[in-house]
Amino acid sequence: MTHKLAFIGFGVVGQGLAEILHNKRQSLQEREGFEAKVVAISDFKKGSLYHPDGLDLEAVLDAVQKTGSLDSYPKTEGLITGWDSLETIRQSNADTVVEVSYTDVKTGQPAIDHCRAAFQSGKNVVMTNKGPVALAYRELSALANEHHVSWGFEGTVMSGTPALRMPKLALAGNDITEIRGILNGTTNFMLMRMDEGESYESALKEAQKLGYAEADPTSDVEGLDARYKIVILAQHVMGMPLSVEEVECSGISNMTPALIEEARMEGKRWKLIASATKEGGRVKAKVAAEKVPLDDPLASISGALNAITYETDLLGPVTLSGAGAGKTETGFSLLIDLLAIAKAREAVRS
């Protein structure tokens, strides 16, 4: 069965998935029994394309990489242009929406509305935007269930590293009582450089130069990025209701060489830790810089890597580490979700 996809947004992450689908088309078909075609793309800057029989991904990628726009895509019979995101979701013949639009993390929009429209139209959604999942998890989960469609968002926490799927599948049957993680690669890189003798300002400039930190690094260095991610983990993995506002949050902007040295003298290392702990039927969550003992697996995580430890009742602590960002890595997170939807659909049919 061929899966028909509509991309809402076609920036770095969307192009990352498109390249994977194009480059690995044959191996995905042979090894996973997965075949997909992109029937629609709608991007508020690059334009929009829809063809019910599918778009030529090579031509799409060529157009975007050469001109930054979809306008130069060959005009073939049956091609429709000019649809906005909601028209694309509601009127295309896609069965799954790849939601990778530019979204305001504070409001979750327009991605929340895109999800609502897709679910109400009987379409699955895979996405990497963390705002909608953190802010509207219960509403959107219920809406997807009501319309018997799937909602995948693996890439919202640790990119393609399966921080959501692994505990749900491989740790099934455990009670996960605590989650602790390094969920922001920018701050982990900066703390590593400070541990090597750099100042905060120098470490930040280097992170920006390497593309780890934005021109405005507030979301990273003040812990806001990790705050949304721990909310997703608490709700999806632990099954505990938690709002963003309930998470105590501080970052690393007050980190000094003296504090770095203090931790070193104690045989510890500073890490920005996001944690969620079950306490008396509730969950308590926070994001803060912590002095982590050197024998803790999280202490050895260097560079821009992410890592997460799940405290379980049957297996004890289990730690997962891997990439937390990147074009291909995040594109892969969407592929994980698409493959899971395809396998679930196949299981229902058989």
Side-chain angles (χ1 to χ4, degrees):
M1 179 179 179
T2 300
H3 301 269
K4 298 174 183 176
L5 312 178
F7 281 62
I8 304 301
F10 203 64
V12 171
V13 174
Q15 291 172 50
L17 174 61
E19 289 172 2
I20 293 171
L21 293 174
H22 177 63
N23 296 333
K24 297 181 75 74
R25 184 182 64 83
Q26 187 171 344
S27 64
L28 286 170
Q29 192 171 0
E30 291 173 354
R31 293 168 56 187
E32 306 294 340
F34 178 77
E35 187 172 358
K37 61 182 177 182
V38 176
V39 296
I41 299 171
S42 180
D43 184 286
F44 79 102
K45 284 186 176 179
K46 296 178 179 69
S48 69
L49 303 169
Y50 169 59
H51 198 296
D53 297 331
L55 301 171
D56 181 339
L57 273 186
E58 186 172 357
V60 166
L61 290 166
D62 185 63
V64 170
Q65 288 161 9
K66 285 182 177 177
T67 69
S69 167
L70 295 168
D71 292 345
S72 62
Y73 181 83
K75 303 300 186 284
T76 56
E77 186 178 350
L79 183 72
I80 296 174
T81 62
W83 280 359
D84 64 22
S85 57
L86 292 174
E87 285 176 306
T88 300
I89 291 167
R90 292 177 176 135
Q91 297 186 40
S92 73
N93 65 343
D95 50 65
T96 300
V97 171
V98 179
E99 209 299 321
V100 282
S101 67
Y102 179 79
T103 289
D104 183 344
V105 71
K106 294 178 182 178
T107 64
Q109 294 293 8
I112 290 176
D113 284 344
H114 292 160
C115 289
R116 288 172 179 149
F119 296 153
Q120 290 163 353
S121 301
K123 295 173 181 176
N124 310 302
V125 173
V126 298
M127 67 192 309
T128 59
N129 280 315
K130 56 187 172 287
V133 186
L135 298 172
Y137 179 81
R138 280 178 285 182
E139 177 205 339
L140 294 177
S141 294
L143 195 59
N145 289 334
E146 178 187 343
H147 292 277
H148 308 289
V149 292
S150 298
W151 184 28
F153 43 86
E154 181 62 68
T156 58
V157 173
M158 278 173 58
S159 183
T161 304
L164 299 176
R165 184 162 280 105
M166 190 278 281
K168 293 285 280 187
L169 296 179
L171 299 181
N174 281 277
D175 181 21
I176 297 176
T177 55
E178 183 179 51
I179 294 173
R180 297 174 65 246
I182 297 167
L183 304 181
N184 183 270
T186 300
T187 49
N188 199 58
F189 172 82
M190 290 174 61
L191 288 170
M192 179 194 74
R193 297 298 286 139
M194 291 184 72
D195 198 48
E196 295 169 350
E198 296 267 3
S199 68
Y200 173 86
E201 292 77 11
S202 176
L204 175 57
K205 285 181 182 177
E206 186 176 356
Q208 289 171 325
K209 183 178 179 181
L210 292 170
Y212 297 148
E214 300 288 341
D216 178 359
T218 304
S219 180
D220 293 325
V221 300
E222 298 300 343
L224 306 179
D225 174 67
R227 188 187 202 186
Y228 282 88
K229 293 174 179 178
I230 198 65
V231 169
I232 295 170
L233 285 159
Q235 294 187 97
H236 188 67
V237 175
M238 302 175 90
M240 304 293 286
L242 181 69
S243 70
V244 173
E245 293 74 24
E246 291 175 295
V247 181
E248 297 176 26
C249 187
S250 60
I252 67 164
S253 58
N254 293 322
M255 188 62 60
T256 65
L259 289 171
I260 295 288
E261 183 60 27
E262 177 186 290
R264 184 180 290 112
M265 295 297 291
E266 295 174 9
K268 296 177 180 179
R269 186 171 288 141
W270 284 102
K271 296 292 181 182
L272 184 66
I273 301 294
S275 63
T277 307
K278 287 182 179 177
E279 291 183 358
R282 297 178 62 252
V283 64
K284 185 175 182 180
K286 68 174 182 176
V287 177
E290 295 182 12
K291 289 183 283 187
V292 177
L294 295 182
D295 60 357
D296 186 317
L298 297 181
S300 65
I301 302 302
S302 62
L305 284 178
N306 286 191
I308 189 166
T309 297
Y310 310 88
E311 191 66 47
T312 72
D313 62 337
L314 303 178
L315 201 57
V318 177
T319 300
L320 172 72
S321 68
K327 178 182 182 179
T328 301
E329 294 86 347
T330 311
F332 170 67
S333 75
L334 294 163
L335 178 64
I336 296 174
D337 287 332
L338 291 172
L339 291 173
I341 289 170
K343 288 175 181 176
R345 185 185 298 179
E346 194 61 36
V348 169
R349 290 177 64 195
S350 61

